[in-house]
Amino acid sequence: AQTVTQSQPEMSVQEAETVTLSCTYDTSESNYYLFWYKQPPSRQMILVIRQEAYKQQNATENRFSVNFQKAAKSFSLKISDSQLGDTAMYFCAFMKLTSGTYKYIFGTGTRLKVLA
Amino acid sequence: DAGVIQSPRHEVTEMGQEVTLRCKLISGHNSLFWYRQTMMRGLELLIYFNNNVPIDDSGMPEDRFSAKMPNASFSTLKIQPSEPRDSAVYFCASSLDSSDEQFFGPGTRLTVL
């Protein structure tokens, strides 16, 4: 069975600094998708970044980038130049297609607090 | 587009009562997902639909839970009878297709007393 592990329940970072959130997953599949979602205190979940497993290049979205290590089954999120608005819960998620059905699994989340 | 709309935003009910949560998809989206979020279990996918058809309901906890899509833009999640352990935030999300970015609604916070 697939699992997604986020080993850091809480983290904090000073404004303008860089922080890395870790995520590991377990699967026997070779083709799948990985996501990072952000849930701010307002509760609305939004997509931060997405990575296809078949792509070797790490995805980047402005200040957000990932370090995708397929062999190690690791998918960490790096936030550069942290801003107060980055304070949120961050969820790592795994998705794969099996027999015509998509399977989604979310990690338990990392609560990030950006300090002024 | 106003995004995914969920109602009610908050629901407090007594054990044994029927609860219906509602979701309106973003126009043009074909996939609809229902999630449950609790402190203990995190975010769990309950069920998802593609083109109004339930594709995977393996996350639905038990027969007390049921979900429907009567049309392409609307879905309901019903709990009957409700129990205190059903207390959680329930999210609805939609996407263009099942593998695309999901857009989440604001959630419904359900409290069963």
Side-chain angles (χ1 to χ4, degrees):
Chain A
Q2 280 72 226
T3 59
V4 176
T5 303
Q6 292 181 250
S7 58
Q8 305 148 315
E10 293 187 0
M11 294 187 73
S12 61
V13 62
Q14 287 293 135
E15 196 176 8
E17 297 293 308
T18 295
V19 64
T20 299
L21 310 183
S22 66
C23 173
T24 57
Y25 57 95
D26 186 24
T27 184
S28 58
E29 302 289 327
S30 59
N31 195 23
Y32 47 87
Y33 299 82
L34 295 162
F35 306 83
W36 277 99
Y37 280 89
K38 170 185 176 181
Q39 186 181 35
S42 66
R43 219 166 63 191
Q44 191 114 16
M45 193 95 66
I46 54 175
L47 178 69
V48 174
I49 202 162
R50 165 189 167 125
Q51 174 85 42
E52 290 88 349
Y54 63 85
K55 288 186 178 178
Q56 292 186 336
Q57 188 173 6
N58 288 327
T60 299
E61 285 288 340
N62 301 314
R63 297 181 296 107
F64 298 86
S65 62
V66 298
N67 183 6
F68 174 46
Q69 302 289 328
K70 191 170 183 179
K73 297 179 183 174
S74 171
F75 183 61
S76 60
L77 175 70
K78 186 172 83 171
I79 307 174
S80 305
D81 186 25
S82 298
Q83 300 176 1
L84 295 178
D86 296 333
T87 293
M89 278 286 282
Y90 287 82
F91 292 94
C92 177
F94 169 96
M95 182 189 79
K96 72 176 182 78
L97 179 63
T98 301
S99 302
T101 300
Y102 285 98
K103 293 292 184 185
Y104 299 85
I105 302 170
F106 281 74
T108 51
T110 295
R111 187 178 301 279
L112 176 68
K113 188 169 185 178
V114 180
L115 307 171
Chain B
D1 199 317
V4 174
I5 299 172
Q6 290 187 248
S7 65
R9 293 294 307 275
H10 302 272
E11 176 83 20
V12 180
T13 191
E14 290 187 343
M15 182 174 63
Q17 296 297 307
E18 178 180 295
V19 174
T20 299
L21 311 181
R22 297 173 175 79
C23 175
K24 183 176 183 302
L25 286 70
I26 292 174
S27 177
H29 282 192
N30 296 316
S31 296
L32 179 282
F33 306 81
W34 280 104
Y35 291 90
R36 178 173 67 178
Q37 185 178 35
T38 61
M39 288 292 291
M40 292 296 294
R41 301 171 69 94
L43 192 65
E44 303 171 281
L45 177 64
L46 300 177
I47 185 172
Y48 84 90
F49 296 80
N50 198 41
N51 294 319
N52 301 6
V53 177
I55 303 299
D56 183 5
D57 64 355
S58 59
M60 295 286 263
E62 46 197 277
D63 292 345
R64 297 184 297 106
F65 286 70
S66 62
K68 294 181 180 179
M69 272 198 81
N71 59 56
S73 61
F74 182 73
S75 176
T76 59
L77 178 68
K78 187 175 292 187
I79 308 172
Q80 167 62 19
S82 58
E83 296 182 3
R85 60 193 169 115
D86 301 331
S87 298
V89 180
Y90 290 82
F91 288 98
C92 169
S94 74
S95 62
L96 279 171
D97 200 350
S98 301
S99 64
D100 290 319
E101 173 186 358
Q102 294 182 29
F103 293 82
F104 283 75
T108 295
R109 182 177 295 278
L110 173 65
T111 303
V112 183
L113 303 174

